[in-house]
Coordinates of all heavy atoms in Angstrom, one line a residue:
S1 N 0.8 -1.2 0.0 CA 0.0 0.0 0.0 C 0.9 1.2 0.0 O 2.0 1.3 0.6 CB -0.9 -0.1 1.2 OG -0.6 0.8 2.2
S2 N 0.4 2.3 -0.6 CA 1.2 3.5 -0.7 C 1.0 4.3 0.6 O 0.0 4.3 1.2 CB 0.7 4.4 -1.9 OG -0.6 4.8 -1.7
P3 N 2.1 5.1 0.9 CA 2.0 5.9 2.1 C 0.9 7.0 2.0 O 0.7 7.5 0.9 CB 3.4 6.5 2.3 CG 4.1 6.3 1.0 CD 3.3 5.2 0.2
S4 N 0.3 7.3 3.1 CA -0.8 8.3 3.1 C -0.1 9.7 3.0 O 1.1 9.9 3.3 CB -1.6 8.2 4.3 OG -0.9 8.6 5.5
E5 N -0.9 10.7 2.7 CA -0.4 12.1 2.7 C 0.1 12.5 4.1 O 1.0 13.2 4.2 CB -1.5 13.0 2.2 CG -1.8 12.9 0.7 CD -2.8 13.9 0.2 OE1 -2.7 15.1 0.6 OE2 -3.8 13.6 -0.5
L6 N -0.6 12.0 5.1 CA -0.2 12.3 6.5 C 1.2 11.8 6.8 O 2.0 12.4 7.3 CB -1.2 11.8 7.5 CG -0.9 12.0 8.9 CD1 -0.7 13.5 9.3 CD2 -1.9 11.4 9.8
T7 N 1.4 10.5 6.4 CA 2.7 9.9 6.6 C 3.8 10.6 5.8 O 4.9 10.8 6.4 CB 2.6 8.4 6.2 OG1 1.6 7.7 6.9 CG2 3.9 7.7 6.5
I8 N 3.5 11.0 4.6 CA 4.5 11.7 3.8 C 4.8 13.0 4.5 O 6.0 13.4 4.6 CB 4.0 11.9 2.4 CG1 3.9 10.6 1.6 CG2 4.8 12.9 1.6 CD1 3.1 10.6 0.3
C9 N 3.8 13.7 5.0 CA 4.0 15.0 5.7 C 4.8 14.8 6.9 O 5.8 15.6 7.2 CB 2.6 15.6 6.0 SG 2.7 17.2 6.8
L10 N 4.5 13.8 7.7 CA 5.3 13.5 8.9 C 6.8 13.2 8.6 O 7.7 13.7 9.3 CB 4.7 12.4 9.7 CG 3.3 12.7 10.4 CD1 2.7 11.4 10.9 CD2 3.5 13.7 11.4
E11 N 7.0 12.5 7.5 CA 8.4 12.1 7.1 C 9.1 13.4 6.7 O 10.3 13.6 7.0 CB 8.4 11.1 6.0 CG 7.9 9.8 6.4 CD 8.8 9.0 7.3 OE1 9.9 9.4 7.6 OE2 8.4 7.9 7.7
E12 N 8.4 14.3 6.0 CA 9.0 15.6 5.6 C 9.3 16.5 6.8 O 10.4 17.1 6.9 CB 8.1 16.3 4.7 CG 8.0 15.7 3.3 CD 7.1 16.4 2.3 OE1 6.4 17.4 2.7 OE2 7.0 15.9 1.2
I13 N 8.5 16.5 7.8 CA 8.7 17.2 9.1 C 10.0 16.6 9.8 O 10.8 17.4 10.2 CB 7.5 17.2 10.0 CG1 6.4 18.0 9.4 CG2 7.9 17.7 11.4 CD1 5.0 17.9 10.1
K14 N 10.0 15.3 9.9 CA 11.2 14.7 10.5 C 12.5 15.0 9.8 O 13.5 15.3 10.4 CB 10.9 13.1 10.5 CG 12.0 12.4 11.3 CD 11.7 10.9 11.3 CE 12.9 10.2 12.0 NZ 12.6 8.8 12.1
A15 N 12.4 15.0 8.4 CA 13.6 15.4 7.7 C 14.0 16.8 7.9 O 15.2 17.1 8.1 CB 13.4 15.1 6.2
W16 N 13.0 17.7 7.9 CA 13.3 19.1 8.2 C 13.9 19.3 9.5 O 14.9 20.1 9.7 CB 12.0 20.0 8.1 CG 12.2 21.4 8.4 CD1 12.6 22.4 7.5 CD2 12.1 22.0 9.7 NE1 12.7 23.6 8.2 CE2 12.4 23.4 9.5 CE3 11.9 21.6 10.9 CZ2 12.5 24.3 10.5 CZ3 11.9 22.5 12.0 CH2 12.2 23.8 11.8
M17 N 13.4 18.6 10.5 CA 14.0 18.7 11.9 C 15.4 18.3 11.9 O 16.3 18.9 12.5 CB 13.1 17.9 12.9 CG 11.8 18.5 13.1 SD 10.7 17.5 14.2 CE 11.5 17.9 15.8
G18 N 15.7 17.2 11.2 CA 17.1 16.7 11.1 C 18.0 17.6 10.5 O 19.2 17.8 10.9
H19 N 17.6 18.3 9.4 CA 18.4 19.3 8.7 C 18.6 20.6 9.6 O 19.6 21.3 9.3 CB 17.8 19.7 7.4 CG 17.7 18.7 6.4 ND1 18.8 18.0 5.9 CD2 16.7 18.1 5.7 CE1 18.5 17.1 5.0 NE2 17.2 17.2 4.9
N20 N 17.8 20.7 10.6 CA 17.9 21.9 11.5 C 18.4 21.5 12.9 O 18.1 22.2 13.9 CB 16.6 22.7 11.5 CG 16.3 23.4 10.2 OD1 16.8 24.4 10.0 ND2 15.5 22.8 9.4
F21 N 19.1 20.4 13.0 CA 19.7 19.9 14.2 C 18.7 19.7 15.3 O 18.9 19.9 16.5 CB 20.8 20.9 14.7 CG 21.8 21.2 13.6 CD1 21.7 22.4 12.9 CD2 22.7 20.2 13.2 CE1 22.6 22.6 11.9 CE2 23.6 20.5 12.2 CZ 23.5 21.7 11.5
L22 N 17.5 19.2 14.9 CA 16.4 18.9 15.9 C 16.1 17.4 15.7 O 16.4 16.8 14.7 CB 15.1 19.7 15.6 CG 15.3 21.2 15.8 CD1 14.1 21.9 15.2 CD2 15.6 21.6 17.2
Q23 N 15.5 16.8 16.7 CA 15.2 15.4 16.6 C 13.8 15.1 17.1 O 13.3 15.7 18.1 CB 16.1 14.6 17.5 CG 15.9 13.1 17.4 CD 17.0 12.3 18.2 OE1 17.6 12.8 19.1 NE2 17.2 11.1 17.8
L24 N 13.0 14.3 16.3 CA 11.7 13.9 16.7 C 11.8 12.8 17.7 O 12.4 11.8 17.4 CB 10.9 13.5 15.5 CG 9.4 13.3 15.6 CD1 8.7 14.6 16.0 CD2 8.9 12.7 14.3
N25 N 11.3 13.0 18.9 CA 11.4 11.9 19.9 C 10.2 11.0 19.8 O 9.1 11.3 20.2 CB 11.4 12.6 21.3 CG 11.7 11.6 22.4 OD1 11.5 10.4 22.3 ND2 12.1 12.1 23.5
S26 N 10.5 9.8 19.2 CA 9.4 8.8 19.0 C 8.7 8.4 20.2 O 7.5 8.1 20.2 CB 9.9 7.6 18.2 OG 10.5 8.0 17.0
S27 N 9.4 8.3 21.3 CA 8.8 7.8 22.6 C 7.9 8.8 23.2 O 7.1 8.5 24.1 CB 9.9 7.4 23.6 OG 10.6 8.6 24.0
K28 N 7.9 10.1 22.8 CA 7.1 11.1 23.3 C 6.0 11.6 22.3 O 5.2 12.5 22.6 CB 7.9 12.3 23.8 CG 8.7 12.0 25.0 CD 9.4 13.2 25.6 CE 10.1 12.9 26.8 NZ 10.8 14.1 27.4
T29 N 6.1 11.0 21.1 CA 5.2 11.5 20.0 C 3.8 11.0 20.3 O 3.5 9.8 20.6 CB 5.6 11.0 18.6 OG1 7.0 11.5 18.4 CG2 4.7 11.5 17.5
E30 N 2.8 11.9 20.2 CA 1.4 11.6 20.5 C 0.5 12.0 19.3 O 1.0 12.9 18.5 CB 0.9 12.3 21.7 CG 1.6 11.9 23.0 CD 1.1 12.7 24.2 OE1 1.3 13.9 24.2 OE2 0.6 12.1 25.1
A31 N -0.6 11.5 19.1 CA -1.5 11.8 18.0 C -3.0 11.9 18.6 O -3.4 11.2 19.4 CB -1.5 10.8 16.9
I32 N -3.7 12.9 18.0 CA -5.1 13.1 18.4 C -5.9 13.4 17.1 O -5.4 14.0 16.2 CB -5.2 14.3 19.4 CG1 -6.7 14.3 20.0 CG2 -4.8 15.6 18.8 CD1 -6.8 15.3 21.1
L33 N -7.1 12.8 17.0 CA -7.9 13.0 15.9 C -8.9 14.2 16.3 O -9.6 14.1 17.3 CB -8.7 11.7 15.6 CG -9.6 11.7 14.4 CD1 -8.7 12.0 13.1 CD2 -10.3 10.4 14.2
V34 N -8.9 15.2 15.4 CA -9.7 16.4 15.7 C -10.8 16.4 14.6 O -10.6 16.3 13.4 CB -8.8 17.7 15.6 CG1 -9.7 18.9 15.8 CG2 -7.7 17.6 16.6
G35 N -12.0 16.7 15.1 CA -13.2 16.8 14.2 C -14.4 16.9 15.0 O -14.4 17.0 16.2
T36 N -15.6 16.9 14.3 CA -16.8 16.9 15.0 C -17.0 15.5 15.7 O -16.4 14.5 15.3 CB -18.0 17.1 14.0 OG1 -18.1 16.0 13.1 CG2 -17.8 18.4 13.2
P37 N -17.9 15.4 16.7 CA -18.1 14.1 17.3 C -18.5 13.0 16.3 O -18.0 11.9 16.4 CB -19.2 14.4 18.3 CG -19.0 15.8 18.7 CD -18.6 16.5 17.4
H38 N -19.3 13.4 15.3 CA -19.7 12.4 14.3 C -18.6 12.0 13.5 O -18.4 10.8 13.2 CB -20.8 13.0 13.4 CG -21.2 12.1 12.3 ND1 -22.0 11.0 12.5 CD2 -21.0 12.1 11.0 CE1 -22.2 10.4 11.4 NE2 -21.6 11.1 10.4
Q39 N -17.7 12.9 13.1 CA -16.5 12.6 12.3 C -15.6 11.6 13.0 O -15.1 10.7 12.5 CB -15.7 13.8 11.8 CG -16.5 14.6 10.8 CD -15.8 16.0 10.6 OE1 -15.3 16.6 11.5 NE2 -15.8 16.4 9.4
I40 N -15.4 11.9 14.3 CA -14.5 11.1 15.1 C -15.0 9.7 15.3 O -14.3 8.7 15.2 CB -14.2 11.8 16.5 CG1 -13.4 13.1 16.2 CG2 -13.5 10.9 17.4 CD1 -13.2 14.0 17.4
Q41 N -16.4 9.6 15.6 CA -17.0 8.3 15.8 C -17.0 7.5 14.6 O -16.9 6.2 14.6 CB -18.4 8.5 16.3 CG -18.5 8.9 17.8 CD -20.0 9.2 18.2 OE1 -20.9 9.2 17.4 NE2 -20.1 9.3 19.5
S42 N -17.1 8.1 13.4 CA -17.2 7.3 12.1 C -15.9 7.1 11.5 O -15.8 6.3 10.6 CB -18.1 8.1 11.1 OG -17.5 9.3 10.8
S43 N -14.8 7.6 12.1 CA -13.4 7.4 11.6 C -13.0 6.0 11.9 O -13.2 5.4 12.9 CB -12.5 8.4 12.2 OG -11.2 8.1 11.8
T44 N -12.2 5.4 10.9 CA -11.7 4.1 11.1 C -10.2 4.2 11.5 O -9.5 3.2 11.8 CB -11.7 3.3 9.8 OG1 -11.0 4.0 8.8 CG2 -13.2 3.0 9.4
I45 N -9.7 5.4 11.7 CA -8.3 5.6 12.1 C -8.1 5.3 13.6 O -8.9 6.0 14.4 CB -7.8 7.0 11.7 CG1 -7.9 7.3 10.2 CG2 -6.4 7.2 12.2 CD1 -7.7 8.7 9.9
T46 N -7.3 4.5 13.9 CA -7.0 4.2 15.4 C -5.6 4.5 15.7 O -5.2 4.5 16.9 CB -7.3 2.7 15.7 OG1 -6.6 1.9 14.9 CG2 -8.8 2.4 15.5
S47 N -4.7 4.6 14.7 CA -3.3 4.9 15.0 C -2.6 5.4 13.7 O -3.2 5.3 12.7 CB -2.6 3.6 15.5 OG -2.5 2.6 14.4
I48 N -1.4 5.9 13.9 CA -0.6 6.3 12.8 C 0.7 5.6 12.9 O 1.3 5.5 14.0 CB -0.3 7.9 12.9 CG1 -1.7 8.6 12.8 CG2 0.6 8.3 11.8 CD1 -1.6 10.1 13.2
T49 N 1.2 5.2 11.7 CA 2.5 4.5 11.7 C 3.4 5.2 10.7 O 3.1 5.5 9.6 CB 2.4 3.0 11.3 OG1 1.5 2.4 12.2 CG2 3.7 2.3 11.2
F50 N 4.6 5.7 11.2 CA 5.6 6.2 10.3 C 7.0 6.1 10.9 O 7.1 6.0 12.1 CB 5.3 7.7 10.0 CG 5.8 8.7 11.0 CD1 6.9 9.4 10.7 CD2 5.2 8.9 12.2 CE1 7.4 10.4 11.6 CE2 5.7 9.9 13.1 CZ 6.8 10.6 12.8
S51 N 8.0 5.9 10.1 CA 9.4 5.7 10.5 C 9.5 4.5 11.4 O 10.3 4.6 12.4 CB 10.0 6.9 11.1 OG 10.2 7.9 10.1
G52 N 8.7 3.5 11.2 CA 8.8 2.3 12.1 C 8.1 2.5 13.5 O 8.2 1.6 14.3
S53 N 7.5 3.6 13.7 CA 6.9 3.9 15.0 C 5.4 3.8 14.9 O 4.8 4.3 13.9 CB 7.2 5.3 15.6 OG 8.6 5.4 15.8
H54 N 4.7 3.1 15.8 CA 3.3 2.9 15.9 C 2.8 3.9 16.9 O 3.1 3.8 18.1 CB 2.9 1.5 16.2 CG 1.5 1.2 16.3 ND1 0.7 1.1 15.2 CD2 0.7 1.1 17.4 CE1 -0.6 0.9 15.6 NE2 -0.6 0.9 17.0
I55 N 2.0 4.9 16.5 CA 1.5 5.9 17.4 C 0.0 5.8 17.5 O -0.8 6.1 16.6 CB 1.8 7.3 16.9 CG1 3.3 7.4 16.6 CG2 1.4 8.4 17.8 CD1 3.7 8.5 15.8
P56 N -0.5 5.3 18.7 CA -2.0 5.2 18.9 C -2.6 6.5 19.1 O -2.0 7.4 19.6 CB -2.1 4.3 20.1 CG -0.9 4.5 20.8 CD 0.2 4.7 19.8
L57 N -3.9 6.7 18.7 CA -4.6 8.0 18.9 C -4.9 8.1 20.4 O -5.3 7.1 21.0 CB -5.8 8.0 18.0 CG -5.6 8.1 16.5 CD1 -7.0 8.2 15.8 CD2 -4.7 9.3 16.1
S58 N -4.9 9.3 20.9 CA -5.2 9.6 22.3 C -6.4 10.5 22.3 O -6.7 11.2 21.3 CB -4.1 10.2 23.0 OG -2.9 9.4 23.0
S59 N -7.1 10.6 23.4 CA -8.2 11.5 23.6 C -7.7 12.9 24.0 O -8.4 13.9 24.0 CB -9.2 11.0 24.6 OG -8.6 10.8 25.8
A60 N -6.4 12.9 24.5 CA -5.8 14.2 24.9 C -4.3 14.0 24.7 O -3.7 12.9 24.8 CB -6.0 14.4 26.4
V61 N -3.6 15.1 24.2 CA -2.2 15.1 24.0 C -1.6 16.3 24.7 O -2.2 17.3 25.0 CB -1.9 15.1 22.5 CG1 -2.3 13.8 21.8 CG2 -2.5 16.3 21.8
T62 N -0.3 16.2 24.9 CA 0.5 17.3 25.5 C 1.4 18.0 24.5 O 2.1 17.3 23.8 CB 1.3 16.8 26.7 OG1 0.4 16.1 27.6 CG2 2.0 17.9 27.5
N63 N 1.4 19.3 24.5 CA 2.2 20.1 23.6 C 2.8 21.2 24.4 O 2.1 22.1 24.9 CB 1.5 20.6 22.4 CG 2.4 21.3 21.4 OD1 3.6 21.0 21.3 ND2 1.8 22.2 20.6
L64 N 4.2 21.2 24.6 CA 4.9 22.2 25.4 C 4.2 22.3 26.8 O 4.1 23.4 27.3 CB 4.9 23.6 24.7 CG 5.6 23.6 23.3 CD1 5.4 24.9 22.6 CD2 7.1 23.2 23.5
G65 N 3.9 21.2 27.4 CA 3.3 21.2 28.7 C 1.8 21.5 28.8 O 1.3 21.4 29.9
V66 N 1.2 21.8 27.7 CA -0.3 22.1 27.7 C -1.0 20.9 27.2 O -0.7 20.3 26.2 CB -0.6 23.3 26.8 CG1 -2.1 23.5 26.8 CG2 0.2 24.5 27.3
I67 N -2.0 20.4 28.0 CA -2.8 19.2 27.7 C -3.9 19.7 26.8 O -4.7 20.6 27.2 CB -3.3 18.5 28.9 CG1 -2.1 18.0 29.7 CG2 -4.2 17.3 28.5 CD1 -2.5 17.4 31.1
M68 N -4.1 19.1 25.6 CA -5.2 19.5 24.7 C -6.1 18.4 24.6 O -5.8 17.2 24.6 CB -4.6 19.8 23.3 CG -3.7 21.0 23.3 SD -3.2 21.4 21.7 CE -1.5 20.9 21.7

């Protein structure tokens, strides 16, 4: 199967970070699905996989110490 647009975007972000002396910490990476309640309930997405890392979706994620 071909990589999704999201996976391609995440790989590009990871590459940009590497070129700018930054590192994506796979052990701290989180994902959240944002949408209307109907969109979230009807979605079949349960996780994201990229660069060999399996990232399950969460109901809340932390960004710079702020829980969303």
Side-chain angles (χ1 to χ4, degrees):
S1 103
S2 64
S4 70
E5 288 185 46
L6 176 60
T7 302
I8 292 168
C9 182
L10 291 170
E11 293 290 354
E12 289 177 358
I13 290 169
K14 184 177 179 180
W16 177 88
M17 290 178 75
H19 292 304
N20 289 281
F21 309 103
L22 300 168
Q23 185 176 20
L24 189 65
N25 188 338
S26 299
S27 67
K28 292 185 177 182
T29 301
E30 299 175 297
I32 189 169
L33 186 60
V34 178
T36 65
H38 177 73
Q39 289 171 324
I40 293 170
Q41 288 177 345
S42 62
S43 174
T44 58
I45 300 171
T46 57
S47 66
I48 299 170
T49 301
F50 86 103
S51 289
S53 296
H54 178 75
I55 306 163
L57 294 182
S58 299
S59 58
V61 295
T62 304
N63 186 22
L64 298 175
V66 177
I67 298 172
M68 295 187 254

